[in-house]
């Protein structure tokens, strides 16, 4: 439950960012740069302090939630959609398609996805869209695998066999019998993957290929702030805390969903 | 043996697909020629270099040339170092293997006891604590953890050297950085596989026989829980190697990860292709061997 | 069985603990000053060297390592002028001919004697082979005539007033002809041989390059037994190495860390000017918005460069209105240390140019190539927006930036930092001649073009300097390039050594001494 509360809060913050943020997240002010948080001698004007260009950290975290969540959620939706479709095809139709899809899955699984992303983003240039496409385009394999194996087992159940025997169309069987069985595991994995994606985005920022200014994401803030860890710790620590809390929330939500949706599922 | 051969056969199309992915990834996305020449180079000079590298051929032709070279063990030349890519990679491989193995050892040391304990004491405060810790470990990006460890253990307390490769002592921080993230994942997996075993019939039988909880956990559950650990470890190989890209950069560790990051930055694509391919083979082999070990350890699983 | 669990856990723990305690004794981790009189000098660079082919790179940090292994004919010591190195004396015979006398008794690391043949081999290679990266800076040389073992003449295509500048920089090291011809380049690149005070012991790529003293060096005896150049890409790691005594010298310290280093006992941070000047490069053709000189002036006046230096660089830079900074032949020092900032006037100028309601421009900048490049661009964009210029910022990672740079396909403005290893205005201003500017700035000022082309071949040193200075004045008013600041290098130094960074950013190991 705690997970749900955290996630809903973060989503609300992202939606209401323009209302909640006290400052324009891009507003620079060299005079007020690297101000500490208010309890360490800063002012209430910049409650969590300012960064190296004098931008308000609180406002940047609030606005950063938008891109971090956008990247996390859309990449997962994309990956989920591809993985679901290919997993169903592989599991349901089998044969050649199964072979082709599953061997592709095996190949992609053999290449560390951060390496994959590094190459594509470096060459194509890191934009928000590319980032989402690449994150989504490389992480679908997990879903495909899961959906395929669930499909295989459901397909052989008696009621599905009999439905086929009486001539139900493939589309209908998939919709009526297979999808409902797959969907709960799917949601659980997808939720957990949002967390992974948010962290991956931060790692890509470290390599200089994540979100690019003037957009702002937590990963970018964390990566930029590393230069100030020893001197102005607040620049990186607060976005770091934001990531941790969100990831924590998302993982708890995933665990909770698992218990609620299908107590049988194990990782 | 038959199973082994069958698995090996199955990897052939996978390898083939990997070559295709690696080739497309690099060749379709960019033009290394402009980076290989000085900024004053004329269009003609660029064209002639492109010609001599075969970049003007149609893509399928280029791919088969690439494949043909690959079969002969020719992975292309690094333009950055003016040497063949494969030997460059082999030079770096030991450093990365050293780091990966040490990280795995650390991950196992952390995750096996914690995973088991949190499963045995399910839903206790202890369990919550470990699960929370695992999530924290997962939520912390590698580069962040690495920098923090340096600041804390090298600069403030001066226990470990900051960076570079040398003694075992140098290995601790990078391995800890890389190992922690893996450990977090493994702890969760081991916990749930342990829970599964504790819920199984033979444990219930043992319980009903009135055996003490400690004996049950140690004698029955632990041994059986170790079996999936092998698989879980193998599944982390890809993550582990991916993690070296960042960890090696933070710790100036002269391995494959740093080579890859720098080669991508300089578009030294022959090296990128070769390294990606070698890594993929490595991951496949480790998964394959884990599979075999798993079958060997757990006689309940039949060869098909 | 219980035992089994705990022995496993304990065993693993002990293995780690055992290894560590043993190693701690040997490596001395955690005792940074233990090596205080060690004869090993360790320098932390941000990148590894690129190659040992001295002609086929254009990287200052690589050259900074090479200078310890090789020698130039002469060195350029700025104010003190040219100093003898391998050449004992030189003389300008006529407009196109220079005569040199080589120092006798110089031996390469493999025992071979240095002769005029080696000089001919080296210089003609880079002058003739157009695939080499340094070719463009040496192709002015048409031939080298060997007179005897120790005398030779260099003949240039055209009058070449900057020849000595060209011969005292990157790519000017003299290579062993016989060794390379007999063994081949492949061997040379693995086992390079030079005449310098240090010779290669080991190169572990992306890790460390170890040099050892060359006992037979012709000059003063090398001061160090061993010189280690480490490659540490991550800034904070490099700083940490300095703080813990892991390295004696660390380059590229982020300005933020200066205070922290200064307040740590045993280490200091020094700031010193470099040859690198950061600038916005603008399109000046009539079709561009920035083709209007008023718009360019408005951009210049809208940016408070001193504030950028003070805040972003924490003082590690100097504002300038010219790219040719002091220490370079032809520098116009009146333009140095100055900058213009008048946002009110900038607004007026924009209104006069017809953009009273604002205008939108695109600026491209590299990300992570130069000190605070991205932050600078962000700050400039913010300052420009204050006067009504909306900047669409486009950040590119270096390779992508380099590609666009070569294609000359940037839109209105790009932000870049140029160095100048020649210490002469000709290299610094060459890009603003009409021919070279084509497609980039499209700058076409008849007077500037004429001045630069004349100065290029003017053998009258004084007149040449005046020509360069006049050109700089016009450029400062015309603003095809708007200079923001000259970057300082911040170098961290362990108190056990003494070191004064040089303008050319070279690390002569023997100029770094034990206290």
């Amino acid at each position: 439950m705690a997970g749900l509360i955290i996630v809903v809060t973060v989503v609300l913050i992202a939606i209401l960012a323009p209302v909640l943020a006290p400052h324009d997240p891009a507003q620079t002010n060299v005079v007020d740069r690297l101000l500490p948080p208010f309890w360490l001698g800063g002012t209430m004007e910049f409650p969590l302090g300012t960064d190296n260009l004098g931008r308000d950290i609180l406002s940047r975290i609030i606005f950063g939630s938008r891109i971090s969540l956008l990247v996390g959620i859309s990449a997962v939706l994309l990956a989920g959609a591809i993985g679901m479709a290919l997993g169903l095809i592989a599991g349901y139709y089998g044969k050649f398609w199964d072979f082709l899809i599953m061997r592709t899955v095996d190949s992609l699984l053999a290449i560390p996805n951060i390496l994959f992303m590094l190459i594509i983003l470096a060459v194509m240039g890191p934009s928000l869209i590319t980032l989402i496409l690449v994150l989504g385009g490389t992480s679908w394999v997990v879903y495909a695998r899961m959906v395929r194996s669930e499909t295989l087992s459901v397909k052989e159940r008696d009621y599905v066999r009999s439905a086929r025997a009486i001539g139900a169309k493939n589309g209908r069987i998939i919709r009526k019998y297979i999808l409902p069985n797959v969907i709960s595991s799917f949601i659980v994995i997808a939720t957990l993957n949002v967390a992974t994606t948010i962290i991956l985005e931060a790692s890509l920022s470290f390599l200089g290929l994540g979100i690019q200014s003037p957009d702002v994401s937590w990963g970018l803030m964390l990566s930029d702030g590393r230069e100030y860890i020893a001197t102005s710790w607040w620049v990186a620590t607060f976005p770091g805390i934001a990531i941790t809390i969100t990831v924590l929330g998302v993982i708890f939500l995933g665990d909770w969903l698992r218990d609620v949706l299908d107590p049988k599922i194990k990782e | 043996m038959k199973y082994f051969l069958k698995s090996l056969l199955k990897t052939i199309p996978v390898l083939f697909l990997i070559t295709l992915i690696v080739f497309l990834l690099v060749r379709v996305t960019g033009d290394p020629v402009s980076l290989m020449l000085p900024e004053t180079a004329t269009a003609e000079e660029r064209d002639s270099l492109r010609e001599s590298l075969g970049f003007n051929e149609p893509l399928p032709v280029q791919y088969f040339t690439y494949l043909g070279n690959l079969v002969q063990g020719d992975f292309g030349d690094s333009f950055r170092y003016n040497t063949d890519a494969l030997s460059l990679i082999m030079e770096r491989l030991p450093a990365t293997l050293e780091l990966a193995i040490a990280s795995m050892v650390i991950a196992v040391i952390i995750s096996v006891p914690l995973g088991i304990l949190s499963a045995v004491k399910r839903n206790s405060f202890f369990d919550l604590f470990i699960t929370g810790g695992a999530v924290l470990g997962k939520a912390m990006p590698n580069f962040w953890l690495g920098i923090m460890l340096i600041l804390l253990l090298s600069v403030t307390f001066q226990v470990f050297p900051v960076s570079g490769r040398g003694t075992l002592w140098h290995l601790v921080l990078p391995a800890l950085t890389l190992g922690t993230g893996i450990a977090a994942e493994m702890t969760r997996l081991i916990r749930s596989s342990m829970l599964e075993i504790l819920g199984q019939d033979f444990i219930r039988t043992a319980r009903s026989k009135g055996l003490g909880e400690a004996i049950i956990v140690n004698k029955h559950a632990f041994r059986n829980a170790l079996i999936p650990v092998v698989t879980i470890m193998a599944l982390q190989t890809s993550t582990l190697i991916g993690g070296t890209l960042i960890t090696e950069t933070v710790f100036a560790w002269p391995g494959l990860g740093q080579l890859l990051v720098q080669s991508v930055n300089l578009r030294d694509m022959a090296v990128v292709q070769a390294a990606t391919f070698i890594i993929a083979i490595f991951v496949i082999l480790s998964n394959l061997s884990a599979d075999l070990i798993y079958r060997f350890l757990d006689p309940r699983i039949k060869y098909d | 069985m219980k035992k089994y669990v705990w022995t496993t856990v304990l065993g693993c723990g002990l293995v780690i603990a055992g290894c560590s305690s043993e190693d701690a004794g040997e490596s001395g981790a955690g005792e940074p000053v233990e090596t205080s009189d060690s004869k090993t000098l360790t320098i932390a660079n941000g990148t590894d060297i690129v190659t040992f082919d001295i002609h086929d790179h254009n990287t200052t940090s690589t050259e900074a390592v090479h200078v310890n292994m090789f020698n130039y004919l002469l060195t350029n010591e700025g104010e003190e002028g040219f100093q003898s190195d391998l050449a004992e004396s030189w003389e300008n015979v006529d407009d196109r001919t220079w005569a040199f006398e080589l120092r006798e008794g110089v031996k390469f690391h493999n025992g071979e004697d240095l002769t005029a043949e080696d000089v001919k081999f080296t210089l003609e290679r880079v002058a003739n082979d157009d695939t080499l990266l340094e070719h463009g800076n040496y192709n002015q040389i048409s031939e080298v005539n060997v007179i005897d073992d120790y005398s030779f003449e260099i003949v240039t295509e055209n009058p070449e007033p900057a020849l000595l500048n060209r011969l005292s920089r990157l790519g000017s090291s003299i290579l062993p002809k016989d060794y390379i011809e007999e063994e081949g380049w492949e061997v040379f690149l693995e086992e390079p041989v030079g005449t310098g005070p240090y010779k290669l012991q080991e190169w572990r790529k992306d890790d460390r390059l170890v040099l050892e003293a060359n006992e037979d060096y012709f000059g003063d005896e090398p001061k160090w037994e061993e010189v280690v150049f480490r490659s540490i890409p991550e800034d904070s790691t490099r700083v940490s190495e300095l703080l813990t005594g892991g390295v004696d010298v660390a380059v590229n310290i982020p300005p933020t860390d200066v205070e922290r280093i200064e307040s740590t006992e045993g280490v200091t941070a020094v700031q010193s000017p470099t040859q690198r000047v950061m600038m916005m490069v603008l399109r000046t053709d009539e079709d561009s918005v920035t083709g209007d000189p008023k718009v360019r002036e408005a951009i210049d006046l809208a940016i408070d460069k001193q504030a950028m230096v003070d805040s972003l660089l924490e003082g590690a830079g100097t504002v300038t209105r010219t790219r040719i900074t002091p220490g370079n032949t032809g520098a116009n020092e009146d333009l140095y240390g100055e900058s213009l900032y008048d946002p009110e006037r900038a607004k007026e100028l924009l209104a006069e140019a017809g953009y009273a309601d604002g205008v939108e421009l695109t600026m491209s900048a590299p990300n992570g190539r130069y000190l605070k490049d991205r932050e600078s661009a962000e700050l400039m964009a913010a300052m420009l927006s204050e006067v009504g210029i909306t900047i669409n910022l486009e950040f590119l990672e270096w390779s992508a930036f380099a590609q666009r740079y070569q294609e000359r396909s940037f839109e209105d403005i790009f932000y870049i930092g140029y160095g100048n290893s020649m210490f002469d205005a000709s290299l610094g201003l060459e890009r603003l001649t009409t021919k070279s500017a084509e497609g980039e700035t499209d700058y076409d000022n008849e007077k500037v073009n004429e001045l630069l082309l004349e100065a290029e071949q003017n053998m009258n040193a004084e007149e040449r300097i005046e020509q360069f200075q006049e050109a700089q004045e016009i450029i400062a008013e015309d603003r095809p390039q708007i200079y923001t600041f000259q970057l300082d290098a911040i170098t961290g130094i362990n108190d056990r050594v003494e070191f004064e960074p040089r303008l050319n950013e070279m690390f002569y190991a023997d100029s770094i001494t034990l206290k």
Side-chain angles (χ1 to χ4, degrees):
Chain A
M1 266 313 274
L4 186 66
I5 296 170
I6 294 175
V7 172
V8 168
T9 314
V10 175
V11 171
L12 279 179
I13 290 177
I15 295 170
L16 298 175
V19 186
L20 293 173
H23 297 273
D24 174 351
Q27 178 64 50
T28 60
N29 185 351
V30 284
V31 183
D32 290 332
R33 61 195 295 269
L34 297 176
L35 286 184
F38 72 87
W39 63 90
L40 288 175
T43 61
M44 276 313 282
E45 203 195 339
F46 306 107
L48 299 184
T50 58
D51 70 2
N52 56 327
L53 293 178
R55 296 173 294 203
D56 177 40
I57 290 178
L58 177 63
S59 306
R60 288 175 71 72
I61 288 180
I62 292 175
F63 271 93
S65 67
R66 293 188 145 189
I67 300 223
S68 290
L69 287 187
L70 180 70
V71 169
I73 293 172
S74 15
V76 164
L77 285 181
L78 179 66
I82 303 175
M84 174 74 95
L86 293 181
L88 280 175
I89 294 174
Y92 193 80
Y93 296 98
K95 301 212 181 67
F96 171 73
W97 291 112
D98 187 29
F99 178 82
L100 185 71
I101 292 170
M102 291 326 286
R103 293 298 81 78
T104 311
V105 167
D106 287 344
S107 327
L108 286 175
L109 276 177
I111 303 175
N113 56 359
I114 187 142
L115 173 57
F116 217 98
M117 293 173 206
L118 174 73
I119 299 174
I120 298 181
L121 288 170
V123 182
M124 313 260 285
S127 72
L128 184 61
I129 301 291
T130 332
L131 194 65
I132 291 172
L133 288 180
V134 172
L135 281 164
T138 49
S139 50
W140 59 269
V141 288
V142 192
Y143 305 93
R145 263 199 163 178
M146 186 276 296
V147 171
R148 171 182 173 269
S149 67
E150 292 277 323
T151 310
L152 279 178
S153 75
V154 175
K155 199 168 77 172
E156 297 309 320
R157 286 187 197 156
D158 290 343
Y159 60 93
V160 179
R161 286 180 173 214
S162 45
R164 269 159 119 184
I166 59 170
K169 291 218 173 69
N170 285 340
R172 186 179 151 77
I173 292 176
I174 289 178
R175 242 180 301 123
K176 193 106 191 203
Y177 302 107
I178 297 188
L179 267 185
N181 277 294
V182 172
I183 202 77
S184 49
S185 310
F186 183 82
I187 290 176
V188 172
I189 295 188
T191 314
L192 293 175
N193 240 346
V194 172
T196 321
T197 313
I198 292 176
I199 299 162
L200 255 179
E201 191 267 314
S203 297
L204 287 170
S205 285
F206 170 79
L207 294 170
L209 294 167
I211 291 295
Q212 301 291 307
S213 261
D215 286 343
V216 52
S217 74
W218 295 338
L220 180 68
M221 293 176 74
L222 185 66
S223 162
D224 277 1
R226 71 184 191 273
E227 193 176 299
Y228 303 92
I229 293 180
T231 46
S232 313
W233 55 269
W234 54 91
V235 180
T237 305
F238 292 122
I241 292 175
I243 293 184
T244 310
I245 292 179
T246 309
V247 167
L248 216 81
V250 170
I251 291 179
F252 286 158
L253 177 67
D255 285 350
W256 181 73
L257 281 175
R258 169 164 48 218
D259 294 342
V260 172
L261 291 173
D262 185 356
K264 286 189 316 250
I265 309 171
K266 297 268 154 59
E267 275 181 53
Chain B
M1 200 57 202
K2 199 174 146 204
Y3 174 79
F4 178 71
L5 284 178
K6 211 171 155 188
S7 320
L8 217 53
L9 267 179
K10 237 165 107 182
T11 61
I12 291 175
V14 174
L15 286 180
F16 187 74
L17 272 169
I18 287 173
T19 60
L20 187 67
I21 294 172
V22 166
F23 171 80
L24 286 179
L25 206 56
V26 169
R27 282 302 301 120
V28 174
T29 41
D31 173 22
V33 167
S34 54
L35 276 157
M36 296 167 66
L37 286 173
E39 54 207 43
T40 46
T42 60
E44 294 85 61
E45 280 171 326
R46 255 174 249 164
D47 281 342
S48 77
L49 183 65
R50 202 168 282 131
E51 180 83 30
S52 70
L53 290 172
F55 291 171
N56 283 339
E57 306 277 343
L59 273 183
V61 177
Q62 285 189 46
Y63 174 62
F64 284 108
T65 320
Y66 171 71
L67 213 56
N69 291 339
L70 217 57
V71 172
Q72 296 164 29
D74 175 7
F75 285 77
D77 287 336
S78 155
F79 80 82
R80 177 178 168 216
Y81 286 118
N82 265 313
T83 158
D84 71 301
L86 189 64
S87 66
L88 208 54
I89 288 161
M90 289 306 160
E91 218 172 88
R92 299 300 190 83
L93 206 55
T96 294
L97 286 183
E98 183 182 313
L99 176 59
I101 290 169
S103 309
M104 194 44 100
V105 169
I106 288 183
V108 169
I109 292 175
I110 298 176
S111 63
V112 171
L114 290 187
I116 290 172
L117 281 175
S118 75
V120 172
K121 309 220 181 274
R122 192 184 184 186
N123 292 335
S124 66
F125 173 74
F126 189 71
D127 178 27
L128 196 73
F129 188 72
I130 291 174
T131 316
V135 173
L136 269 181
K138 213 182 136 153
M140 198 170 310
N142 261 342
F143 71 88
W144 182 250
L145 182 62
I147 292 173
M148 293 307 252
L149 284 177
I150 291 179
L151 283 180
L152 190 71
L153 295 180
S154 299
V155 179
T156 309
F157 292 111
Q158 313 218 332
V159 189
F160 299 101
V162 177
S163 68
R165 182 179 178 222
T167 57
L168 259 181
W169 211 227
H170 283 87
L171 186 58
V172 178
L173 289 191
L176 205 56
T177 305
L178 195 50
T180 307
I182 308 279
E185 189 69 31
M186 281 176 63
T187 307
R188 289 167 56 81
L189 293 172
I190 290 172
R191 176 177 177 270
S192 56
S193 101
M194 187 74 184
L195 280 177
E196 196 176 339
I197 288 163
L198 285 174
Q200 268 170 7
D201 291 346
F202 70 104
I203 300 280
R204 283 205 208 106
T205 320
R207 270 205 188 104
S208 67
K209 279 199 242 157
L211 286 177
E213 193 66 23
I215 295 178
I216 293 173
V217 170
N218 283 331
K219 188 160 184 177
H220 298 286
F222 177 64
R223 263 204 306 188
N224 284 294
L226 271 187
I227 296 170
V229 169
V230 178
T231 321
I232 291 170
M233 276 167 67
L235 284 177
Q236 302 296 320
T237 316
S238 166
T239 321
L240 192 63
I241 294 181
T244 63
L245 265 68
I246 286 168
T247 311
E248 290 187 3
T249 305
V250 171
F251 288 95
W253 188 265
L256 212 48
Q258 227 199 115
L259 177 70
L260 264 166
V261 171
Q262 304 204 358
S263 300
V264 169
N265 284 338
L266 294 167
R267 307 287 189 273
D268 193 351
M269 287 313 190
V271 177
V272 175
Q273 280 179 325
T276 310
F277 187 66
I278 303 265
I279 287 175
I281 290 183
F282 190 76
V283 172
I284 290 174
L285 285 182
S286 77
N287 285 343
L288 195 63
S289 45
D291 199 17
L292 289 174
I293 294 172
Y294 184 64
R295 271 153 211 277
F296 175 75
L297 286 177
D298 191 347
R300 279 175 304 173
I301 297 167
K302 295 275 173 294
Y303 290 83
D304 45 306
Chain C
M1 255 313 152
K2 184 173 189 173
K3 239 189 242 161
Y4 177 64
V5 179
W6 291 113
T7 14
T8 315
V9 174
L10 264 177
C12 293
L14 280 178
V15 168
I16 293 270
C19 300
S20 39
S21 56
E22 208 176 296
D23 273 308
E26 282 167 20
S27 70
E31 293 163 46
V33 272
E34 181 223 34
T35 53
S36 60
D37 358 300
S38 151
K39 296 286 266 175
T40 298
L41 173 70
T42 310
I43 299 173
N45 273 326
T47 52
D48 197 0
I49 68 157
V50 181
T51 171
F52 283 118
D53 190 336
I54 57 155
H55 293 146
D56 205 15
H57 73 92
N58 45 20
T59 323
T60 311
S61 58
T62 298
E63 190 65 14
V65 175
H66 285 178
V67 291
N68 293 292
M69 305 166 61
F70 302 96
N71 293 91
Y72 303 153
L73 290 171
L74 45 112
T75 58
N76 185 352
E77 301 293 332
E79 314 256 298
E80 293 146 53
F82 295 103
Q83 302 289 318
S84 157
D85 200 357
L86 291 178
E88 208 146 56
S89 62
W90 52 89
E91 185 189 4
N92 186 201
V93 181
D94 61 45
D95 273 6
R96 293 177 50 234
T97 316
W98 300 68
F100 289 81
E101 292 292 326
L102 266 187
R103 191 189 286 269
E104 291 185 29
V106 175
K107 281 191 192 311
F108 284 103
H109 298 155
N110 63 346
E112 236 172 74
D113 282 317
L114 170 85
T115 69
E117 285 294 340
D118 296 308
V119 179
K120 180 181 171 71
F121 168 80
T122 307
L123 294 180
E124 289 190 350
R125 171 182 188 239
V126 63
N128 296 331
D129 184 347
D130 62 7
T131 62
L132 296 171
L133 282 171
E134 271 302 312
H135 171 71
N137 291 317
Y138 291 88
N139 63 359
Q140 299 78 6
I141 295 172
S142 69
E143 60 179 333
V144 177
N145 296 323
V146 176
I147 306 206
D148 61 41
D149 270 3
Y150 299 103
S151 3
F152 61 92
E153 281 177 357
I154 297 179
V155 183
T156 57
E157 302 273 352
N158 297 305
E160 187 51 50
L163 182 76
L164 296 183
N165 297 71
R166 292 188 187 281
L167 292 178
S168 52
R169 58 176 288 281
L170 209 151
S172 301
S173 300
I174 302 303
L175 301 173
K177 175 183 186 229
D178 292 344
Y179 178 72
I180 293 171
E181 284 187 342
E182 278 159 27
E183 307 283 341
W185 273 101
E186 304 239 316
V187 173
F188 176 83
L189 294 179
E190 293 278 310
E191 297 159 34
V193 159
T195 52
Y198 295 90
K199 52 188 180 186
L200 181 69
Q201 190 179 65
E202 172 181 33
W203 180 26
R204 278 188 266 153
K205 294 177 185 112
D206 283 337
D207 181 16
R208 62 189 60 217
L209 187 141
V210 185
L211 302 179
E212 59 185 351
N214 169 16
E215 303 299 338
D216 302 324
Y217 185 55
F218 64 85
D220 294 337
E221 196 189 326
K223 294 197 172 68
W224 301 94
E225 283 167 9
E226 208 177 54
V227 182
V228 181
F229 289 92
R230 288 196 49 195
S231 137
I232 307 179
E234 174 66 19
D235 287 343
S236 68
T237 309
R238 211 163 45 246
V239 172
S240 296
E241 280 285 10
L242 177 78
L243 291 175
T244 56
V247 300
D248 299 312
V249 177
V251 305
N252 293 344
I253 302 289
T256 334
D257 285 315
V258 170
E259 222 181 280
R260 190 167 143 237
I261 291 171
E262 286 296 341
S263 65
T264 305
E265 207 169 311
V267 285
T268 39
V270 289
Q271 275 180 29
S272 56
T274 67
Q275 284 282 75
R276 196 166 298 284
V277 173
M278 301 301 300
M279 67 188 78
M280 298 166 104
V281 181
L282 303 94
R283 290 204 178 270
T284 66
D285 59 295
E286 281 174 11
D287 299 334
S288 307
V289 176
T290 47
D292 187 335
K294 285 192 173 136
V295 176
R296 296 203 297 273
E297 191 178 347
I299 293 174
D300 189 9
L301 294 180
I303 298 171
D304 186 351
K305 292 102 182 165
Q306 191 59 51
M308 290 171 73
V309 172
D310 292 342
S311 62
L312 282 182
L313 306 183
E314 314 214 3
T318 311
V319 293
T320 176
R321 293 183 63 211
T322 178
R323 188 196 157 180
I324 314 301
T325 47
N328 292 281
T329 310
N332 187 332
E333 300 202 13
D334 294 342
L335 296 169
Y336 179 74
E338 260 200 42
S339 83
L340 303 176
Y341 174 56
D342 186 349
E344 289 314 310
R345 176 79 189 124
K347 283 181 202 160
E348 285 169 31
L349 283 164
L350 276 180
E352 284 169 33
Y355 301 109
D357 300 330
V359 60
E360 228 178 281
L361 294 172
T362 298
M363 176 159 83
S364 311
N367 184 357
R369 174 73 176 183
Y370 310 108
L371 183 62
K372 302 284 169 198
D373 48 8
R374 198 186 72 209
E375 289 89 339
S376 299
E378 286 182 293
L379 208 51
M380 288 191 294
M383 289 171 173
L384 286 167
S385 76
E386 301 276 307
V387 303
I389 301 174
T390 310
I391 294 284
N392 299 317
L393 271 179
E394 176 192 41
F395 289 106
L396 297 162
E397 159 266 355
W398 179 248
S399 283
F401 188 91
Q403 188 167 350
R404 294 274 300 279
Y405 178 76
Q406 276 171 32
E407 295 164 1
R408 306 194 164 207
S409 62
F410 290 118
E411 286 184 35
D412 305 301
I413 308 170
F414 65 91
Y415 191 58
I416 196 170
Y418 284 121
N420 183 350
S421 57
M422 221 147 87
F423 291 87
D424 186 90
S426 59
L427 181 74
L429 299 174
E430 197 267 344
R431 267 194 118 73
L432 294 173
T433 57
T434 307
K435 186 164 166 272
S436 299
E438 206 182 315
E440 184 172 286
T441 51
D442 280 316
Y443 185 57
D444 183 9
N445 181 306
E446 231 173 278
K447 184 67 186 165
V448 169
N449 194 44
E450 191 188 302
L451 285 167
L452 292 181
L453 292 183
E454 269 175 32
E456 188 77 26
Q457 301 190 359
N458 192 341
M459 298 299 285
N460 179 333
E462 268 174 38
E463 200 181 279
R464 185 167 176 266
I465 288 173
E466 280 163 20
Q467 287 166 334
F468 279 134
Q469 290 178 337
E470 192 184 342
Q472 287 165 67
E473 263 163 44
I474 305 173
I475 292 165
E477 290 304 316
D478 251 1
R479 302 179 175 85
Q481 300 173 332
I482 295 173
Y483 310 102
T484 50
F485 40 76
Q486 172 193 32
L487 280 180
D488 279 358
I490 308 176
T491 313
I493 299 168
N494 189 304
D495 285 348
R496 84 181 183 106
V497 298
E498 224 154 343
F499 171 54
E500 269 191 46
R502 300 186 171 216
L503 186 56
N504 61 13
E505 297 178 74
M506 295 295 117
F507 285 103
Y508 287 98
D510 284 347
S511 71
I512 307 173
T513 50
L514 265 181
K515 257 187 192 159

